[in-house]
Amino acid sequence: MISYQSLTNALSKDWFYKPNTLEKVSGVVFPLFGNAKHAEGIILTQRAKHLKSHPGQISFPGGVLEPTDQSLLDCALREWEEEMGVSQSALEVLGRLTGLQTRTGFHITPFLANYKGDFQFPFNKDEVESVFVTNFSELWECPFYAIQIPNQKPGDFAYYFDLKGGLLWGATCEIILGFLKQFLSFDRIPKIVKPNLTFPPFLNPKIL
């Protein structure tokens, strides 16, 4: 667990930050849940399986900055409402995490938020397959893997958590892993394995 207050104290409040990049920029909500004072885990979505981009992948609510968005935070909150079917008033935004430049031409800015709702999510089935929660404890207990990324420089690894809700990988996994290391002293060493798929996510833990 970690206190919401300690996160609030540590995070940037530059709500109008925009990365200096030619990549497509996007904002996501990194939603935490817990008791009145402490975060105990993360709320995650699985993208709808019919989507052309990253179908079925575990992700945060969020998307690409639109011309009508005043900021990346506005973008993230708009996407939260569109995907989750829940008002942004159920969120207390704690601050901005360091952004991530992906290998696929995007720059993602995550905003950490405390979810204070009733966990009833009438999510948009056109975009979201399911919504589930993951306690921090699961991230210390579930299988944790790394592979050398195909066609990348040596030492460039992709990481995977084999959660009860599915395989967590890609940009969402990297953002969560960075958060765990920065705020929860995460020190697990992943099991290094070889890719067993020729396409993303390049790993199927069920056939290792």
Side-chain angles (χ1 to χ4, degrees), residues 26-28 43-64 79-80 82-84 104 106 108 123-132 165-173:
S26 62
V28 299
I43 301 169
L44 293 166
T45 70
Q46 182 187 26
R47 290 171 58 81
K49 294 179 180 179
H50 64 262
L51 293 174
K52 292 182 180 180
S53 175
H54 304 292
Q57 189 171 342
I58 292 174
S59 66
F60 294 123
V64 175
E79 291 280 356
W80 162 273
E82 291 177 4
E83 294 181 21
M84 306 294 276
T104 55
F106 289 86
I108 302 172
F123 56 84
N124 181 352
K125 294 182 180 180
D126 288 335
E127 299 187 49
V128 178
E129 189 76 22
S130 63
V131 176
F132 65 98
L167 186 65
L168 173 62
W169 63 284
T172 304
C173 182

Side-chain angles (χ1 to χ4, degrees), residues 95-156:
R96 176 176 58 81
L97 289 167
T98 300
L100 175 71
Q101 188 163 327
T102 74
R103 302 177 184 90
T104 55
F106 289 86
H107 188 286
I108 302 172
T109 299
F111 295 91
L112 211 62
N114 172 19
Y115 173 69
K116 297 183 174 183
D118 59 7
F119 292 87
Q120 300 300 310
F121 299 108
F123 56 84
N124 181 352
K125 294 182 180 180
D126 288 335
E127 299 187 49
V128 178
E129 189 76 22
S130 63
V131 176
F132 65 98
V133 300
T134 297
N135 287 292
F136 292 140
S137 59
E138 184 179 358
L139 297 165
W140 264 264
E141 298 165 359
C142 70
F144 179 40
Y145 303 105
I147 65 169
Q148 171 69 51
I149 300 174
N151 304 316
Q152 298 292 326
K153 63 183 179 181
D156 195 359

Side-chain angles (χ1 to χ4, degrees), residues 5-13 96 182-183:
Q5 189 60 56
S6 64
L7 291 171
T8 299
N9 292 343
L11 294 171
S12 169
K13 307 300 186 301
R96 176 176 58 81
Q182 182 176 357
F183 295 107

Side-chain angles (χ1 to χ4, degrees), residues 3 5 27 31 38 49 61 69 79 86 94 103 105 116-117 120 124-125 138 157 159 161 164 184 187 190 194 201:
S3 74
Q5 189 60 56
H38 295 89
K49 294 179 180 179
D69 296 322
E79 291 280 356
V86 174
L94 305 175
R103 302 177 184 90
K116 297 183 174 183
Q120 300 300 310
N124 181 352
K125 294 182 180 180
E138 184 179 358
F157 288 95
Y159 298 91
F161 288 97
K164 295 174 185 176
L184 289 169
D187 59 358
K194 292 183 178 180

